[in-house]
Amino acid sequence: MSSSFAILTLIICVPFVGMLFVLTAKETADHTSHNSFNVALFTIIANLVMIWRVFMLIDEKQLRLQLFEKFDWLSVPDINLVFAVDNLSLLMILAVHLVILTGVIFNRTETKRQKPQMAMTLLFLSMTTGFFVAADIFSFFIFFEAMLLPLFMLTGMFGDFKRPERLNGFFLYNLLGAFILFFAVLLIYKFYGSLPLNRSNEILWTQNYGGIIWSALAVGLISRIPIWPFHHWISSVTAKIHDPLVFIASSILPLSGIYGLVRFWPDNIPTQVSDFFFLINIVGTVTMLFISLIGFIHKDTQYKIFSFVTVYYVMYLLGIFSGENLILQDIGYALFGFLIVFASLEVVSAYIYRQERLHDSSSSGFLCRAKRLSLIYSFLTFASAGFPISAMFTNNFLILSQLLSKNIQLGTILMLAGIIAAAALIREMFRLKTDSKECILGKAEDLPVAQFLYMLFMVFLLLMSFIRPLWFVINE
Amino acid sequence: MLQNWFILLPEFCLLSFFPIAWLVDIFRREKTAKTFFTLAQAFLLLTIGTTILFYDKSAFPSYWRNTALTTLFKIFVYLLAWAWFYLSSKWFLNKKRASFKFYAACFILLLGFDMLASSASLLALGTAVPLICSGYVCLILRHWDIDKVKKPAAAFAVSALSFCALLWIGISFIRFYAGSFEYEEISRFFAKDPTADALPLAGVLMVISALMFMMAVVPFHTWFISFISTAVLPVCGFITLIPPLIYFCALINLVKGGFEPLGDFIVPVLTIFSLLTLITGALSANHENNLRRLFGFLSLYIQGFTLIGVMDFSRGSMMAAFAYIVISVLSLAGIYTVFLGLKSRGEYLSEQADITGFSEIRPYMSAALLVFMFSLIGLAPTLGFFGNLSIINVLIENEAWGRAAILLPSLLFVAGACLQVVGTFYFKPLSNKFDRVDKAVYICLFINMVFILLALINPAWLLRDAFVILGDVS
């Protein structure tokens, strides 16, 4: 199916145009205006409506890419930009928009330097959307790399890093991963031309440097996921970010690796590759276990959320390597729920952290006095712990059962890691619910009504995604 | 005969700037940098017009031959020079300094570049190079504190004399064996027996070394870095932005016209030069706190990158290298434009420590710098990505794995150097008060950005005709 109206291009362009509008928005000298915030909010909501429309244009039962859009870009070398979507990519675009919207809404009060933050966020959103709609190797690579620039600026400007060397290292590390992928893309181009992503099974392991191509693809994409030995730079930056919007953006980066692997993964895995699976399973499981333990011991809530995010990303990575088509579809649904859960939890935690700093008080017992916050926080903690209240539950269950059936020992350790990550979050919730005299925060500091209503909407989305992941699609 | 004089009109236009400007300098009472810029602009426009008019006509075809290729490069260079003259005039106005000698030296250089680009014989090459060297000496001496520039000017003069001598010895060797100065004859001679004698090969090596010296390729780069460190901003900008395109054109003419049969000899020589330049440029930029020197090293890196790309002198590699060098020069032009906005209490700043937090008060200018720098790194989706893609794709197409393996990590070092600058502009607190930025800087930045954006959306707009011309050359 091809589209007569370039709606996919439009959903890439809208945040970009929004960014240009943000750049022209007026800011008052005392930083009290919300112009750039309003523009960003309107842009994201407008794009969400369009994404909803795209859902109705595609055949949700088909697993292949649809709504193809093609643009001639270069004649030498002959490169075209091709866009297309399927259920998985649309779900990812929707989820990314929702989580960024969540971050933006909860950053409304942070008016100092709001303009560059909103501009970079919209640029990041535009590039991320482009990444998910890319349907050929070059478009895929261009947006894979393009996400780095706005993310680097966001982390650098709003991450509160004392040592910029660490940030530079993070960027260079990601750039190295992108270059490895670039090398693979150029090799693919040499032997197969500008290959559409849905024909990646044409890259044979034994022909035309197939082994090198697959290895470079795997390393380039896995480098975005905080699995050993690639975890250092990601954890050293992401875990230390306290701005919720920037944390959410930087936590979306591993998603690009996961999604890339899902896209490239061929139907028939070369037998030579399957030998490496066992090794990746071991490394992944050990990474999960260690990170979940560190998250459990760590006092910083941010690190606990980071460890939860990492554990789940690695689990999805291992799910992809199981090679089942059904699992790949489940990963899409699970990721949708997971992204909303972690982003919502992050903004609520950041809200508590802000109140703590603002009133110079401990937050132990804060949830006993703030009912609205307590309701949302508890729901999100239970959802992240894997309770049957979001799309994460069913799909994680399927992925885990698949992994357990393949290797019971590794599957058990993996489950254990998930339990420890969940326990860390539940323990944090109990701390917030255990009343303490050191806490001076009260009802006045509870979640504002507007934000509470928004979070209720998120809760509604999660519940509905548990009942039927694509409940919002109304096909004619 | 009369026709020949008409064909030489572009050169006359360049040459006649000097006497007219000199007369204006002597007799006009009210003269500013704007006066000389207006004059320079008029002569440049005349030069551009006549160059286009006689784009394939040559007065002395055995010495200088105008082709679509030479015209392409010349037009690019004249347009760049025009933009830089405009920005430089603002610098001179702000500093209240006389600009006549600067513009005059630039026109001498443009004449030299014109001759170098059209060279069809070693004699023409041997004439153009000393002329350009003298132009450089005149240019570096344009400083109000003459003591500061005396030493680098003298050092350059000595090394330029040595390399001119080397060039002429090389030319003599080749002339002695090939029996002619003309590229075509030389090519025929080498085609007969490329490994005939050591002396003509030594001559080729000397000629190429002299050209590499002019290109400031490592190990002959020290003069360029010392120029960049000591010269005034208009001079730095001119010698960084204008010459690379002309040298690239001269190299294509020389190798494709005269030394093509010596591919097996030339490629290893160029490989050594290019790798040294690439590595030195990328590594040295990482240790620089001075912005001008940092981007000086990055422009060396660009030369190295271009040489690696063009080395095969095939159709694809020439197109790729051309795309890369044009995009890089555009990015460097943008960066130099930003330099004109880095001004505090009338002084132009270049130390990173002086410009921390610049983005807080000049967000648009900092954003433009960000785009130009990431374009220099070649990060998608900036235009620089297209340049990098072109060159690395050609290397992979030709299975030049070694060269590709060096290029990719070198980009990381360049990125490291640029990230330092981004960090200084964006992530550090404001530490200085900055002067109001001239409107001209914003105008030039805007035009450059629009150009880059249009070229990014459809690179064919920028490069289609160039590719056709380069395709004909090969």
Side-chain angles (χ1 to χ4, degrees), chain B residues 354-369:
Chain B
D354 298 333
I355 48 169
T356 55
F358 185 71
S359 69
E360 282 183 35
I361 47 163
R362 299 275 180 272
Y364 296 115
M365 196 177 273
S366 305
L369 183 81

Side-chain angles (χ1 to χ4, degrees), chain A residues 387-407:
Chain A
F387 281 68
I389 43 179
S390 80
M392 270 175 78
F393 170 74
T394 331
N395 301 291
N396 286 355
F397 184 77
L398 279 170
I399 297 163
L400 272 173
S401 61
Q402 181 69 26
L403 292 170
L404 276 167
S405 70
K406 291 224 164 173
N407 188 323

Side-chain angles (χ1 to χ4, degrees), chain A residues 23 73-74 77 79 115 138 141-142 145-146 149 152-153 156-157 171-172 175-176 179 186-187 189-190 209, chain B residues 364 370 374 379-381 385-386 389 392-393 396-397 399 401 408 411-412 415 419 422 426-427 456-457 459:
Chain A
L23 288 177
W73 187 51
L74 284 176
I79 295 171
K115 188 167 156 174
F138 273 106
F141 173 74
I142 287 170
E145 197 177 65
L149 166 63
F152 174 68
M153 295 310 292
M157 291 171 85
F171 181 83
L172 292 176
L175 201 60
L176 179 65
F179 284 158
L186 288 177
L187 276 180
Y189 178 73
K190 176 179 166 64
Y209 303 104
Chain B
Y364 296 115
L370 194 71
F374 279 98
L379 194 81
F385 169 69
F386 167 57
L389 167 74
I392 297 170
N393 182 48
I396 288 184
E397 283 285 325
E399 303 200 351
W401 307 117
L408 285 173
L411 279 168
L412 283 179
L419 291 184
V422 174
Y426 277 93
F427 309 154
L456 181 69
I457 294 167

